[in-house]
Amino acid sequence: MPEYGYFLACEEFRPAELVEQARMAEQAGFQSLWISDHYHPWNDAQGESPFVWSVIGAISEAVSLPVETAVTCPTARIHPAVVAQAAATSAVMTNGRFRLGVGSGEALNEHILGHVWPPASVRLEMLEEAILIMRRLFTGEEISHYGSHYRVENARLYTVPDEPVQIDVSGFGPAATALAARVGDGFITMMPDEEMVTRFRKGGGHGKPVMGGTKVCYGTDRDEAVRTVRRLWSNQLLPGEMAQILPSPRHFEQLGPLVTEQMVSENTVCGDDVDEHVSELKAFADAGFDRVYVSQIGPDQRGFFDFYRTKVLPQLQP
C-alpha cells in the first residue's frame, strides 16, 4: 500500500496558513508533505506565492513530517548551485527528512529574468546538468564545473546533511520519464498512469519510489465545490503544453472560460462522497505508486482534514 501525504499549495495560501495546514496534516494522519515552488500563482484568484524555502524552514520547526518540493526548477530562475544550498539546509533543518523534487519548469515562473525560454528538449538538458552539479555539491566538497549551460567555480557547501539529498525528477512524457529513470532517485507525476510507471521502472527506475499527486475540493455542497475549483484551479484542466509556455497569470485567466463547470465536475473530485475520494487515491495505488499526495482546493481546510482523518484515510490503511 502507498503512503499518503498532503500537498501544500503555495499558489493559494499565505506562509502562516501553509504552516498551519502542515500541522493539521500531521494531526490527521498524513505521513509526509509536498509543497509547490512557484514565483507566480497560476491566476490572480489564487493570489499567493511565498518563497518556498522560507516556508520549509518554518514547517521544519512545526512538524516532524518529511517534506519535498513538488517541484523546484533548478535551471533558470535560480542557479542550481544556489538551489543545492537551499536543499541542503532544508535537509539539515528537517533532520534528513527532505527530498528535492525537480522538473524542467514553466515559463510562468522561470522567464521572469528575461532569458529566452528554451524548448522542452533544451530544458531537459539543462535539468540533467543541474542535477549533476547539485549532486556534486551535496558531497560537501569544493567543485568547479564548466558545462554546456552552467559554470561553477570553487563552490563548496559547508552546511550539508549526513546523507546527500535525494533528488526526484518530475515527468509527464516519454523524454522526461526516461530522464527520471536514468538520473533520478525517484519519479514524480500527476496522473495515475500505470504505463508511465512501467516505463520508468523498466528504464532504470526499478526499486526507486514513484510519487503522484491530485487535487480535490471537499465540501458539503458539491455544486459550490465545483465552482470553487473552476474559480481557483481551472488551469489544471487546460490541455497540451500551455502550462509550460504561457508566461503570466493573466494568460491563464484569459483561457479560463474554456474550462466549464461540467469539465470540472467530470474531472475533479468535489464534495463529500467518501467513496469518490477513496477511489481517486486508490487509482494511484492500482497504478503502482509508492506515495500519493492530495491537496484541498479552497478555504475549507479544517473540514477537509477532519473528513480525511475520520472517513477517508482509515479506508486506505492496509
Side-chain angles (χ1 to χ4, degrees):
M1 293 292 292
E3 295 181 0
Y4 293 95
Y6 187 71
F7 190 176
L8 298 162
C10 282
E11 305 94 318
E12 196 181 338
F13 298 100
R14 299 180 65 81
E17 293 173 316
L18 294 166
V19 174
E20 180 58 25
Q21 288 168 24
R23 291 193 184 98
M24 290 191 288
E26 186 170 50
Q27 293 164 1
F30 286 100
Q31 297 167 285
S32 55
L33 298 169
W34 263 3
I35 185 167
S36 58
D37 180 358
H38 268 239
Y39 193 88
H40 293 137
W42 294 99
N43 53 59
D44 282 0
Q46 290 175 355
E48 296 292 339
S49 201
F51 189 54
V52 70
W53 303 105
S54 300
V55 180
I56 289 171
I59 288 172
S60 73
E61 292 295 303
V63 302
S64 60
L65 295 178
V67 183
E68 177 166 18
T69 53
V71 294
T72 292
C73 177
T75 65
R77 172 170 46 104
I78 305 180
H79 192 283
V82 179
V83 174
Q85 184 183 29
T89 299
S90 296
V92 170
M93 294 187 72
T94 58
N95 294 315
R97 297 187 302 274
F98 175 79
R99 296 178 75 98
L100 177 62
V102 299
S104 59
E106 307 97 8
L108 175 72
N109 299 303
E110 308 306 326
H111 86 295
I112 60 168
L113 302 180
H115 304 307
V116 172
W117 184 237
S121 59
V122 176
R123 299 201 304 268
L124 290 175
E125 288 178 7
M126 296 171 69
L127 180 60
E128 185 167 3
E129 187 175 336
I131 291 170
L132 170 65
I133 292 168
M134 294 189 293
R135 285 227 168 91
R136 292 182 64 195
L137 285 167
F138 290 150
T139 66
E141 300 174 358
E142 181 180 304
I143 77 159
S144 292
H145 173 90
Y146 304 93
S148 300
H149 302 285
Y150 303 106
R151 294 170 62 93
V152 180
E153 291 187 345
N154 308 116
R156 177 185 173 188
L157 297 182
Y158 280 81
T159 301
V160 293
D162 294 336
E163 299 292 333
V165 177
Q166 298 288 285
I167 302 176
D168 302 321
V169 179
S170 172
F172 302 98
T177 302
L179 176 65
R182 188 172 70 252
V183 305
D185 295 308
F187 180 44
I188 292 172
T189 192
M190 300 301 287
M191 295 293 293
D193 188 328
E194 185 175 1
E195 181 180 342
M196 288 183 66
V197 174
T198 300
R199 183 182 295 120
F200 168 74
R201 291 189 168 135
K202 287 184 176 180
H206 181 73
K208 300 176 182 179
V210 176
M211 292 150 283
T214 187
K215 292 184 181 295
V216 303
C217 188
Y218 162 79
T220 56
D221 184 333
R222 189 179 191 281
D223 292 339
E224 179 60 28
V226 168
R227 290 190 290 270
T228 296
V229 174
R230 184 170 182 263
R231 178 173 61 87
L232 294 174
W233 284 92
S234 59
N235 59 279
Q236 67 182 350
L237 295 177
L238 294 174
E241 295 184 70
M242 283 183 278
Q244 283 72 49
I245 64 175
L246 294 180
S248 75
R250 71 175 180 273
H251 292 102
F252 288 93
E253 291 168 358
Q254 290 167 6
L255 296 178
L258 298 178
V259 178
T260 65
E261 289 187 9
Q262 181 177 350
M263 291 170 62
V264 171
S265 180
E266 293 174 352
N267 292 280
T268 308
V269 173
C270 295
D272 59 355
D273 186 310
V274 176
D275 291 340
E276 287 188 16
H277 286 263
V278 170
S279 178
E280 174 75 4
L281 300 186
K282 281 189 172 179
F284 286 89
D286 293 342
F289 283 69
D290 299 292
R291 296 173 194 157
V292 186
Y293 294 81
V294 59
S295 181
Q296 162 70 357
I297 293 172
D300 192 5
Q301 296 292 315
R302 177 67 67 182
F304 166 87
F305 284 113
D306 287 344
F307 178 66
Y308 267 65
R309 175 179 56 82
T310 59
K311 297 183 178 180
V312 177
L313 292 179
Q315 295 198 41
L316 297 170
Q317 303 306 315

